[in-house]
Amino acid sequence: MRRWGTADRRGSAAVLILGLALAGCSTGGTVSGSAKTATGKASGTTTPGRGGASTAPSVASGRQGLPTAPPPPDTTVSQADAAAALKAYQSTNNAADAGLDTAAMAKIESGSQLALDQTTLVYDQGIGGDRAKQAKMPSTYTNPVFYRVPATTYPRGFFVTTDAVTSGVANSSFLMHFTQDQAGAPWLLDTTVTLGSGQQWPAFAVGPDGLLDYNATQQNNLLLAPADLAAADRTMLADDNAGQPGSPFLSDDPTTAELRWIQGMTENVAPASAALTVTTAPTPPPIYLPLKDGGELVLYGTRLSLRISQSGRTFTFGDEGWAKVAGSDSISDEYTADALWMVAAIDPPDKAAKVQKIAQYGGLVAVH
């Protein structure tokens, strides 16, 4: 897992500098226990479906003398297995980073997370120098808190909040989701969002069995649907209205990071024109997590497409690391850089305050 934001370039293009996100409350300890509860499945991952997980009932005919069907098996990941999965990921990820080995990443990641981290490795390798050197630095995950998802079938999964310690960069705190497609299959990381240095994740709600307590969410009551959040992101990128009366957001640090990315993509191509498209359909589908203090945290993906164009212009990428991503060292007339950002936002329990964006993780996924 690469730390895209640790070495972002800052150019001279005029962009808006937005506000600083607020930190969540502290999380501590570990979560354990087991239960026989079904989970939803979204986009190939084991995640809580909208409306929460439902208890899988025994099947009975309602007629006297007929036996009740046995309950479904409990496939909920154990505390020990979750810890082992995180440890294995750390080892393999560090080896892949050290060798800038994109093929090795496919053994420990999947989906958009894999596309993002593979492209970042290629980008780092293309730039070389200090960027590639930093990309090879190992990370150590400390203070993990595991939030296990109840399951009665595969795929199954779990969440973990953990601090990442890496030489040369400020420490950060990750919320990660791992999934396992079938018994004995490798655990794959498919979602990551990142808090800045010094911030901590809010505690998620767990039941008496120690598993995520989906009954604690205020389901279907978000102030904004994730598609509306993505559309609001697009407005913020243009208008810098975070925290203002017409804004849906209390804070917007993730969008500030997006603006820095846009600035970095355009700083060496002036005076070419640039056009930004932000998807309003969340990709990947949103994930909802209940918060201990009420309300819920929603994770959703936003895709950015930044098109740079100028008739008759040849854009050269030899010194930018884009050559390997684009499969060419130059592109004529125009090119598009696609990025994916995972965002974490808190919907307050009393619905009186605005949505608070607290975390993000993202960067370049393709150039064409």
Side-chain angles (χ1 to χ4, degrees), residues 24-49:
C25 60
S26 173
T27 297
T30 57
V31 179
S32 61
S34 62
K36 297 182 175 63
T37 309
T39 61
K41 180 183 178 185
S43 189
T45 65
T46 304
T47 57

Side-chain angles (χ1 to χ4, degrees), residues 22-368:
L22 303 180
C25 60
S26 173
T27 297
T30 57
V31 179
S32 61
S34 62
K36 297 182 175 63
T37 309
T39 61
K41 180 183 178 185
S43 189
T45 65
T46 304
T47 57
R50 187 65 195 185
S54 59
T55 302
S58 297
V59 178
S61 67
R63 291 181 292 173
Q64 260 188 337
L66 291 180
T68 299
D74 183 7
T75 60
T76 302
V77 61
S78 69
Q79 177 83 11
D81 285 348
L86 179 63
K87 183 177 180 180
Y89 177 84
Q90 174 183 293
S91 176
T92 305
N93 179 66
N94 285 340
D97 288 345
L100 296 175
D101 186 350
T102 57
M105 299 301 296
K107 299 178 181 179
I108 55 173
E109 296 184 358
S110 65
S112 55
Q113 183 72 42
L114 175 61
L116 174 59
D117 286 345
Q118 283 182 323
T119 303
T120 304
L121 277 180
V122 172
Y123 183 90
D124 292 342
Q125 186 178 20
I127 288 181
D130 290 341
R131 179 72 180 238
K133 183 179 179 180
Q134 182 60 56
K136 296 180 179 181
M137 297 299 294
S139 296
T140 301
Y141 299 120
T142 63
N143 305 317
V145 180
F146 297 96
Y147 292 92
R148 297 178 300 114
V149 178
T152 57
T153 186
Y154 286 89
R156 61 178 182 167
F158 68 89
F159 294 87
V160 57
T161 58
T162 180
D163 297 328
V165 180
T166 308
S167 177
V169 298
N171 295 348
S172 53
S173 182
F174 291 123
L175 170 61
M176 307 161 72
H177 179 258
F178 288 84
T179 186
Q180 186 183 43
D181 284 342
Q182 59 186 6
W187 283 95
L188 302 177
L189 177 71
D190 61 21
T191 302
T192 300
V193 286
T194 315
L195 284 176
S197 178
Q199 297 179 321
Q200 291 181 298
W201 287 98
F204 299 113
V206 295
D209 54 10
L211 303 180
L212 281 172
D213 182 10
Y214 298 114
N215 293 324
T217 64
Q218 299 191 25
Q219 295 152 357
N220 302 311
N221 289 320
L222 280 174
L223 291 172
L224 289 172
D228 296 327
L229 293 174
D233 283 341
R234 178 176 58 190
T235 301
M236 288 175 59
L237 287 167
D239 297 340
D240 190 18
N241 69 343
Q244 301 303 311
S247 171
F249 296 116
L250 174 67
S251 53
D252 61 11
D253 188 56
T255 303
T256 302
E258 292 166 1
L259 284 170
R260 290 200 302 266
W261 177 83
I262 293 168
Q263 180 179 8
M265 293 292 103
T266 59
E267 63 181 4
N268 292 327
V269 298
S273 63
L276 174 68
T277 300
V278 181
T279 59
T280 54
T283 305
I287 300 169
Y288 302 87
L289 295 175
L291 296 177
K292 182 178 179 180
D293 295 334
E296 56 190 5
L297 183 143
V298 57
L299 307 177
Y300 65 96
T302 299
R303 286 192 176 271
L304 306 179
S305 293
L306 182 67
R307 181 173 56 82
I308 312 296
S309 62
Q310 188 176 57
S311 179
R313 171 85 176 258
T314 297
F315 300 96
T316 57
F317 306 136
D319 61 346
E320 297 297 328
W322 299 346
K324 293 184 179 180
V325 179
S328 173
D329 61 2
S330 66
I331 297 178
S332 297
D333 296 327
E334 68 177 33
Y335 71 93
T336 300
D338 291 318
L340 171 70
W341 298 85
M342 288 298 300
V343 179
I346 290 178
D347 189 25
D350 59 4
K351 310 301 173 186
K354 298 176 182 178
V355 173
Q356 178 186 354
K357 293 170 68 175
I358 67 169
Q360 63 85 38
Y361 184 88
L364 187 70
V365 294
V367 175
H368 52 89

